[in-house]
Amino acid sequence: MEPEHVPGLSLTQCGLEFPGQPYSAHVLKVGYSLAQPDGTVRADGTITLLTGPQNILVDTGGPWDRDFLLRSLEERGLSAGDVHVVVGTHGHSDHVGNLGLFPGALLVVGFDVCRGDTYVDSVLARGDAYSVDEHISILPTPGHSGQDVSVQVTGVSGGTLLVAGDLFENYHDELSWRELSLNPQLQQLNRQRALQTADVIIPGHGAPFRVTRGPQEAASVMGRSPCDGEEPL
């Protein structure tokens, strides 16, 4: 599909596995948001697992995903107790509905960082990144809500990966994301920053996509193209 604002570039989704060193990324569940005929919306958030020196879960889905999430971890040889860090990109129920499965993990939910009932100064509220280690940083990316974060991972196949929560709904959300945004101006700024720095983006309600930068990338929103080995839709 060709984006209206960047003639000649394709918007194409990626696969769900991103091997790397020392971290690999695995999309356990692709989120969705589907309008229903009766005016309701069926929605669930994307669930992503980062494996490496630490096991890091980014968004847990809704409470209805409990059994699916535990089974997905088990299929990778992990239990809930093997997860070291859980990140909730923001506080909506379809993204943080299973935090209770991980009482021993470091929890990062929006700008809050805690282990058990002990909270630490995360620096996120001041606009700074919170470093998990030299390969993983949690970035403040508010706009969709007041305290959104995204997780940046270096060293995976395809370059720098950003697990973006609802900073991006999906790979073709240009006409819809503003309707769901608490602060569209701020979200637009953070979207542009993400598109200037990430090579692959995992959105909150859709499949991953690659960012392809043209010669005028600094002046406008960039196009997105397939991840390595993936065919256009």
Side-chain angles (χ1 to χ4, degrees):
M1 186 173 67
E2 184 176 279
E4 296 177 0
H5 52 284
V6 188
L9 294 181
S10 296
L11 301 186
T12 312
Q13 298 177 88
C14 289
L16 305 181
E17 297 286 334
F18 302 90
Q21 288 294 333
Y23 283 97
S24 297
H26 320 268
V27 178
L28 303 184
K29 182 172 187 175
V30 175
Y32 55 86
S33 181
L34 304 171
Q36 302 299 298
D38 62 0
T40 61
V41 176
R42 293 185 60 236
D44 202 3
T46 298
I47 304 173
T48 304
L49 176 67
L50 309 175
T51 56
Q54 300 187 71
N55 297 314
I56 301 170
L57 187 67
V58 186
D59 285 338
T60 70
W64 50 88
D65 288 315
R66 179 185 185 278
D67 292 343
F68 166 83
L69 178 54
L70 292 173
R71 185 171 64 251
S72 296
L73 291 173
E74 184 178 356
E75 289 171 354
R76 288 160 177 79
L78 300 174
S79 68
D82 296 319
V83 176
H84 303 99
V85 181
V86 178
V87 179
T89 57
H90 59 294
H92 291 170
S93 59
D94 56 339
H95 293 262
V96 295
N98 291 295
L99 292 180
L101 295 175
F102 308 97
L106 178 72
L107 300 181
V108 183
V109 181
F111 295 169
D112 290 337
V113 179
C114 70
R115 189 180 298 276
D117 62 358
T118 301
Y119 286 76
V120 302
D121 181 2
S122 71
V123 309
L124 290 164
R126 299 197 294 273
D128 296 325
Y130 179 85
S131 177
V132 175
D133 59 29
E134 61 181 311
H135 303 282
I136 295 184
S137 298
I138 301 172
L139 311 178
T141 54
H144 174 72
S145 72
Q147 295 193 4
D148 305 271
V149 296
S150 299
V151 180
Q152 179 179 277
V153 187
T154 61
V156 300
S157 62
T160 297
L161 181 145
L162 189 73
V163 189
D166 286 1
L167 180 63
F168 294 88
E169 291 287 312
N170 52 56
Y171 84 112
H172 56 89
D173 69 351
E174 190 60 33
L175 299 180
S176 61
W177 69 265
R178 290 176 180 83
E179 300 174 3
L180 303 171
S181 180
L182 180 69
N183 187 332
Q185 183 176 4
L186 182 57
Q187 186 171 350
Q188 176 68 22
L189 176 63
N190 284 316
R191 284 165 64 94
Q192 291 177 343
R193 287 174 176 167
L195 290 167
Q196 291 167 1
T197 57
D199 299 300
V200 176
I201 292 176
I202 299 177
H205 294 276
F209 59 84
R210 173 173 292 285
V211 178
T212 299
R213 301 178 177 90
Q216 298 180 347
E217 64 178 358
S220 64
V221 175
M222 277 65 73
R224 301 140 198 172
S225 64
C227 289
D228 295 338
E230 293 298 317
E231 297 295 328
L233 293 178

